[in-house]
Amino acid sequence: MTAATRYDAIVIGAGQAGGPLAGALARAGRRTALIERVHVGGTCINEGCTPTKTMVASARVAYLARRAAAYGVRAGSVTVDMAAVRRRKRDIVESFRSGGESRIKSTAGLDLLLGEARFVGPSPHAVEVKGADGTEQLAAPLIFINTGGRPSRPALPGIDGVPTLDSTSIMELAELPDHLLVLGGGYIGLEFGQMFQRFGSQVTIVQRAAQLVPREDADVAEEIRKILCEDGVEVLLNTKAASAEPVGDGRIRLVVQNGGSERALLGSHLLLAAGRSPNSEALNLGAAGVETDKNGFIKVNERLETSVPGVYALGDVKGGPAFTHISYDDFRIIRANLLEGGNADVRDRLVPNTVFIDPQLGRIGLSESDARARGGNIRVAKLPMNYVARALEMDEARGFMKAVVDADTGLILGAAVLGIEGGELMAALELAMMGKLPHTVLRDAVFAHPTLAEAFNNLFTTLTP
């Protein structure tokens, strides 16, 4: 057997944690191997944040162009060139990816190896990389797993007999779907559903649960449903997909059930948007003794350590919040502990997120339902966006702002902002939470007029006796 090449560290996966971590380790003087099987940048740059938000932007332009007359602008007939939308998306992705790859390749002490990695026993710190030019053996005292996740495929009768799309392949369409069926009412289903409706498709979202985005408060989910329906999206709640089959004209017949009734939907395309699975099965984790849960997510402690000393897991492959910024924060935790002598962990970290429907949903901290379940003494501030001057001036007044406040301390426990630039407004509330500012500071702050931020004055004034 060929002798293993020794490194100080091996990073498996060049995603939003793995790439920065490999570079930091190498710059700290630790010889590092970064193994990537597909492309640098992980899900975010290649199939997630970057391409989807690029296409969301194109869809919003189409939406605004069709509304031009409401602003006193004559725009004429609006059509969408999906091939051009795809080309714009590809160009931006390639720019981001090539930039990241160039930085990696120019880092001294860092080797980028393209291939599939797997652990080989009996040592838990031995890795085999199978690439286009053969197989290579590596070993290192520190190994970091950042292999991410992929779209899940539901167990649905007939599903293997019909063409399906996932969150990656749908962005490669060169022609507009006539009728897009979306299986799943979470973040992915909502973003693509609204996006393709704005491009010009008929869209039906099939959601098994009683509300969209089930982890959100019921009032938030209902407002999102109203917005999507107002835009022309058909939303079916409490509806289970029972079977799928092709029909003679190239369409897909999706049978759905709601209570005791059954209905057949005919669509040109079917998007599977019902969850994600970890990329862990090819790693041969059992050979290293790395434990996973029943779904294949790698188990870690609060310092991101697996069941094997010296082996860590970062990002989506470990489960938990599947956000790029959380993956990057995982990298910062490892960097702080291994390179900076720190004692960082994941406990009590805030988890912001934004759903890029339009208007956006920005979320941070506890929801109202979670806060009430904890039994604390809380107050809830709520303000419709049609009370916000800037939103009215922009004719973007759908949605509302809501904040959960500790009634005893005045501190903000969480917030949901469903409104124009909701993600940016949420970030301002997050800063207040990080600084442990009572809500009265935002209530009494002098914000520039007219801006969206000045809505915080009125939002928190609703709590004033």
Side-chain angles (χ1 to χ4, degrees):
M1 177 181 257
T2 305
T5 303
R6 300 289 303 180
Y7 285 92
D8 296 314
I10 296 171
V11 180
I12 305 174
Q16 295 303 297
L21 176 59
L25 289 166
R27 287 189 293 273
R30 303 194 185 194
R31 188 187 179 202
T32 302
L34 175 60
I35 306 167
E36 175 53 52
R37 70 173 181 175
V38 184
H39 37 218
V40 167
T43 296
C44 176
I45 287 178
N46 297 286
E47 297 104 18
C49 316
T50 298
T52 59
K53 279 48 178 180
T54 298
M55 293 181 69
V56 163
S58 293
R60 177 163 169 76
V61 170
Y63 168 72
L64 289 174
R66 292 192 184 99
R67 292 180 58 208
Y71 295 88
V73 178
R74 305 298 180 192
S77 178
V78 177
T79 60
V80 174
D81 182 345
M82 284 304 299
V85 170
R86 183 180 66 178
R87 184 166 56 252
R88 175 176 175 268
K89 180 266 299 184
R90 287 177 173 177
D91 289 345
I92 292 176
V93 168
E94 177 57 32
S95 173
F96 282 26
R97 180 195 299 152
S98 61
E101 189 168 332
S102 295
R103 286 189 292 273
I104 289 170
K105 290 182 176 179
S106 65
T107 301
L110 176 56
D111 295 337
L112 177 61
L113 306 178
L114 300 180
E116 184 86 57
R118 65 189 298 269
F119 287 91
V120 292
S123 169
H125 295 91
V127 173
E128 177 183 270
V129 182
K130 185 176 182 180
D133 298 326
T135 301
E136 185 175 356
Q137 306 291 324
L138 312 178
L142 294 173
I143 297 181
F144 305 92
I145 304 170
N146 181 222
T147 50
R150 65 187 184 281
S152 299
R153 190 172 180 84
L156 177 66
I159 194 70
D160 292 333
V162 298
T164 60
L165 299 167
D166 60 27
S167 57
T168 299
S169 59
I170 193 172
M171 292 187 290
E172 288 300 307
L173 293 176
E175 296 181 357
L176 192 65
D178 176 54
H179 186 182
L180 177 65
L181 306 176
V182 180
L183 201 56
Y187 300 170
I188 294 173
L190 298 189
E191 289 184 5
F192 280 114
Q194 187 185 54
M195 177 197 304
F196 275 88
Q197 187 280 331
R198 290 182 166 187
F199 284 147
S201 297
Q202 179 183 350
V203 175
T204 300
I205 296 176
V206 179
Q207 170 69 333
R208 185 168 185 166
Q211 66 175 57
L212 299 172
V213 284
R215 295 182 181 178
E216 299 297 334
D217 286 330
D219 58 346
V220 174
E222 175 59 14
E223 189 71 10
I224 290 173
R225 187 197 65 79
K226 289 179 180 178
I227 288 169
L228 292 176
C229 291
E230 183 180 277
D231 282 1
V233 176
E234 181 182 24
V235 178
L236 305 179
L237 302 177
N238 289 309
T239 302
K240 175 186 175 182
S243 65
E245 64 178 356
V247 293
D249 56 1
R251 291 184 296 169
I252 298 164
R253 183 175 185 266
L254 182 68
V255 177
V256 299
Q257 298 172 340
N258 182 304
S261 64
E262 191 169 272
R263 173 185 173 188
L265 306 174
L266 293 179
S268 60
H269 296 72
L270 175 60
L271 170 63
L272 305 180
R276 292 179 66 81
S277 301
N279 292 327
S280 60
E281 66 280 356
L283 291 169
N284 194 27
L285 295 171
V290 176
E291 295 180 2
T292 65
D293 67 13
K294 63 180 181 179
N295 296 314
F297 291 101
I298 298 175
K299 295 181 179 181
V300 296
N301 62 17
E302 67 275 3
R303 292 169 61 88
L304 307 177
E305 299 164 326
T306 71
S307 55
V308 176
V311 180
Y312 299 77
L314 306 86
D316 297 358
V317 75
K318 72 181 191 314
F323 302 121
T324 292
H325 43 280
I326 294 301
S327 185
Y328 189 78
D329 191 57
D330 288 349
F331 145 65
R332 290 188 292 208
I333 288 171
I334 297 295
R335 179 182 61 185
N337 293 342
L338 296 186
L339 300 180
E340 299 172 351
N343 188 30
D345 60 47
V346 302
R347 291 175 295 185
D348 300 323
R349 72 175 168 188
L350 291 171
V351 181
N353 70 83
T354 300
V355 186
F356 285 87
I357 53 175
D358 185 18
Q360 298 169 9
L361 170 62
R363 278 282 293 112
I364 183 67
L366 295 178
S367 66
E368 179 184 354
S369 56
D370 286 341
R372 294 196 185 283
R374 293 191 177 193
N377 185 17
I378 66 167
R379 302 180 70 191
V380 177
K382 192 170 181 179
L383 185 76
M385 291 303 291
N386 60 17
Y387 280 36
V388 180
R390 182 60 176 161
L392 290 168
E393 292 158 0
M394 298 170 69
D395 199 12
E396 296 284 0
R398 298 191 292 181
F400 59 80
M401 308 169 68
K402 181 167 78 166
V404 181
V405 173
D406 186 303
D408 299 321
T409 66
L411 296 178
I412 302 168
L413 302 177
V417 183
L418 177 60
I420 182 71
E421 295 298 345
E424 304 295 340
L425 288 169
M426 173 273 293
L429 294 173
E430 181 184 8
L431 288 173
M433 293 170 68
M434 292 169 62
K436 300 189 183 305
L437 299 178
H439 72 277
T440 50
V441 172
L442 296 182
R443 182 196 67 190
D444 300 333
V446 178
F447 295 103
H449 175 79
T451 62
L452 293 169
E454 71 174 340
F456 296 142
N457 294 152
N458 290 335
L459 172 66
F460 292 112
T461 296
T462 65
L463 299 179
T464 301

